[in-house]
Amino acid sequence: MLGCVLFMTVGMYNVITFIGGAGQQSAWLSDIANIALYTVFTAFCLVAPACLNFFGLRATLCFGGFGYAAYAASLWCYNHTGNVPFVVFGGCWCGLSAAFLWTAEGTAITAFASEEKKGLYVSIFWSIFQLGVVIGAAI
């Protein structure tokens, strides 16, 4: 289930990123959004574990998926409106939610598997997750 969540969020984000310039005319907009994304991601990686302990795995994982959709929507909106601040906001929101998503993913992948099955579960998770990139690139 966790692999399917990341298949639809991070896997599709990777497809948008690997297009080059996020499919825009120049890479400038994608570069600015990625700077915002990774800056917010770095800052909130320190806060996300405490929030995971307070809100729980399900709520943290759910919140972690919304930012990826906001980032993709901001790029789509930019093609119609030219709204650069919305793309930067989408990058910031994606960075915030990515901190929560990856914290929840790391907890879930290591907490639910027994010691002898952790490697198997991680390999299944990464296979499903990377399948998002393969299917997105094929499309």
Side-chain angles (χ1 to χ4, degrees):
M1 187 61 134
L2 188 61
C4 291
V5 169
L6 270 78
F7 165 80
M8 296 301 290
T9 55
V10 184
M12 294 302 147
Y13 164 80
N14 285 340
V15 169
I16 291 171
T17 303
F18 294 159
I19 288 174
Q24 304 302 317
Q25 291 291 330
S26 72
W28 174 82
L29 183 65
S30 176
D31 292 344
I32 297 299
N34 281 328
I35 290 169
L37 188 153
Y38 288 115
T39 302
V40 172
F41 178 75
T42 302
F44 278 93
C45 277
L46 301 172
V47 178
C51 292
L52 173 68
N53 287 337
F54 184 77
F55 293 113
L57 183 64
R58 189 176 303 166
T60 307
L61 189 62
C62 181
F63 175 73
F66 285 120
Y68 290 97
Y71 180 68
S74 71
L75 290 170
W76 178 79
C77 181
Y78 175 79
N79 290 334
H80 297 285
T81 64
N83 191 353
V84 174
F86 185 51
V87 177
V88 174
F89 171 75
C92 289
W93 192 3
C94 187
L96 171 68
S97 69
F100 286 86
L101 182 77
W102 286 107
T103 302
E105 179 271 331
T107 301
I109 203 83
T110 57
F112 294 124
S114 61
E115 279 301 317
E116 62 272 356
K117 299 257 182 170
K118 282 186 184 184
L120 175 67
Y121 287 1
V122 169
S123 67
I124 292 170
F125 161 76
W126 278 101
S127 298
I128 295 171
F129 163 56
Q130 292 299 328
L131 200 62
V133 177
V134 172
I135 291 173
I139 291 172

